[in-house]
Amino acid sequence: VSQQVLEQVLSELQPLCTSEQQFLQEFFWLGCDSAELQGLEVRVGTVPLPGPFFPSQLIPDLSHDLVWFLRPEEARTQLLSEIFSCLEPELRAFLDLCNKVHPLGCLQVLVTLSDSMFGTWGSPSASPSSFLHALLGNVLLLAKSNFNKYIGTLCKEMEEAKTPSRVRGGILPCISRFQEFVTCSEEMFRMSRRRGELDKAQLRVASSVFSSINSLSSANLKVNTDMVMMENFHHIHSFLCQKNIPCLEDKKREAKQRCSEHMEKYVTTCLGQTLERLKNFFEGVKVCLAQGVKEEEVSFQLAYSKQELRKVIEKYPGKEVKRALETLYRTIHKSLSPEENLLLVVWQAMEQEFLRQYQEFEELIQRCYAGAGTALGFTMEDLLSYFNSITTSH
């Protein structure tokens, strides 16, 4: 509604101001060159002009005030400023009202004024030297200032928002606000040719959203932090893929990368908890090798002897591994938001990481415990069977 009102006001002001400006130029000879003005002054000063507009006693003052001492542009501007003295205050008051009616009213005003200034809507705008053009330029500066203040406030609220400790996953409120802002602003700028201000604002808001998600790493959440960050970066990436906004291409790629990073951390953490003792044992073996212990001497380390290896392996027979994986699947299914539809993607990543870890464990056994006759309580084929069974049964 505010956009329609403002467009109507501007469309009616343009011909009104233009015609008034044209009248003043012709009536007071404000468009004459210097030679014509000198001749006019002589004529005005020596020949009384009849009529109600030029009483004889005012002619000398008129010649000095409007023709001789002032340049024509200054005289025209002065007259128009007096005639339309209430116009700029009224426009400024209307801008304030738009800001109060809708949070993004400042953006709509900015779009409408910009398009009016550069002739992208309705009838052609007034020439750059016109009174109306100068007046709208002042109001446009105010509109830009209001818009920048709104963006600054929005970014600050996003960055300083505290995540509730009871959050159990899902999309953060700042993501929803970001989507609303981008969607509304894109609709408002849909027919506009000038979007420099919008591009800068969208980048600024996107950076604040990313900062807000990153702050989760220090939050005391009830769920896995990497899981929440993974889902939110995935949501942003999906949203930006739908919108296809050129200025946010880098943010879209960054969101995809961050989603992958946190998915990897989430998968590693979950599998580390599933085979915790087995994983910790072989992590210790890798530390020994990194410290210079020879492969054939690792089994002589008290904490990583053949006996200790057998004890750890006995904790993870095939049926226990399958049961642990089923429990893990239910946990992931419960934790992930159904809206993001990431369950299958995460579970496939779990399978790939589990198979990679299995191969790593087998390789370390062959390198450091050769001839001990020790092997894991499950095979690669067993693992593939476990994952396939869980996937097809849910």
Side-chain angles (χ1 to χ4, degrees), residues 46-274:
T46 58
V47 181
L49 297 177
F53 296 104
F54 286 102
S56 59
Q57 66 271 23
L58 296 180
I59 291 175
D61 293 336
L62 180 65
S63 65
H64 286 298
D65 291 343
L66 297 181
V67 180
W68 182 248
F69 288 103
L70 293 178
R71 294 195 301 270
E73 294 82 2
E74 293 177 349
R76 182 182 61 212
T77 301
Q78 179 181 344
L79 287 171
L80 289 170
S81 297
E82 292 177 0
I83 294 172
F84 298 106
S85 60
C86 65
L87 186 55
E88 183 170 340
E90 290 293 337
L91 286 175
R92 288 176 175 269
F94 181 75
L95 263 61
D96 292 337
L97 178 62
C98 292
N99 294 337
K100 295 176 181 178
V101 171
H102 191 277
L104 280 175
C106 56
L107 177 56
Q108 186 64 74
V109 168
L110 179 61
V111 173
T112 305
L113 284 173
S114 297
D115 289 349
S116 173
M117 288 283 290
F118 297 96
T120 57
W121 62 267
S123 59
S125 64
S127 64
S129 61
S130 72
F131 165 80
L132 180 60
H133 191 278
L135 184 146
L136 293 182
N138 294 335
V139 180
L140 180 59
L141 290 177
L142 175 62
K144 289 182 178 180
S145 176
N146 290 339
F147 179 62
N148 290 333
K149 288 179 181 178
Y150 169 77
I151 295 300
T153 301
L154 178 62
C155 292
K156 185 176 181 180
E157 290 176 354
M158 289 183 172
E159 293 172 2
E160 297 180 354
K162 295 183 179 179
T163 304
S165 59
R166 295 182 180 181
V167 66
R168 297 190 177 278
I171 305 307
L172 299 174
C174 66
I175 308 295
S176 301
R177 295 192 66 184
F178 171 70
Q179 288 182 262
E180 179 185 6
F181 167 72
V182 171
T183 301
C184 291
S185 61
E186 284 296 314
E187 178 63 25
M188 291 178 183
F189 267 84
R190 185 170 53 89
M191 301 301 293
S192 178
R193 300 176 188 175
R194 296 179 56 84
R195 54 174 295 138
E197 296 290 333
L198 178 60
D199 287 347
K200 290 186 292 185
Q202 288 182 345
L203 276 171
R204 189 177 172 188
V205 175
S207 297
S208 295
V209 171
F210 278 51
S211 176
S212 181
I213 299 176
N214 291 334
S215 67
L216 290 176
S217 59
S218 59
N220 184 23
L221 302 182
K222 299 293 185 181
V223 293
N224 185 286
T225 302
D226 287 310
M227 183 268 290
V228 180
M229 298 174 78
M230 170 191 71
E231 286 196 307
N232 280 274
F233 278 120
H234 175 268
H235 190 84
I236 291 179
H237 177 259
S238 299
F239 172 73
L240 293 180
C241 284
Q242 296 173 6
K243 292 299 179 181
N244 193 27
I245 302 173
C247 71
L248 296 179
E249 280 297 310
D250 288 342
K251 289 298 181 182
K252 182 174 70 175
R253 286 189 289 268
E254 182 181 351
K256 182 178 181 180
Q257 178 183 350
R258 298 298 303 279
C259 176
S260 299
E261 291 174 356
H262 289 289
M263 181 181 294
E264 181 178 345
K265 292 179 180 179
Y266 177 57
V267 168
T268 302
T269 300
C270 290
L271 291 183
Q273 295 170 349
T274 303

Side-chain angles (χ1 to χ4, degrees), residues 278 280-286 288-289 293-310 312-313 360-376:
L278 194 62
N280 290 341
F281 182 88
F282 285 109
E283 286 295 330
V285 171
K286 289 194 292 184
C288 289
L289 294 175
V293 178
K294 296 181 180 180
E295 293 179 356
E296 60 271 18
E297 295 178 358
V298 170
S299 62
F300 294 102
Q301 305 294 314
L302 183 61
Y304 306 106
S305 64
K306 298 176 184 178
Q307 292 79 9
E308 289 299 319
L309 174 61
R310 293 191 183 98
V312 174
I313 288 177
E360 182 181 54
F361 296 163
E362 281 288 305
E363 180 185 350
L364 289 172
I365 291 175
Q366 294 300 323
R367 288 169 56 190
C368 303
Y369 301 93
T374 304
L376 295 173

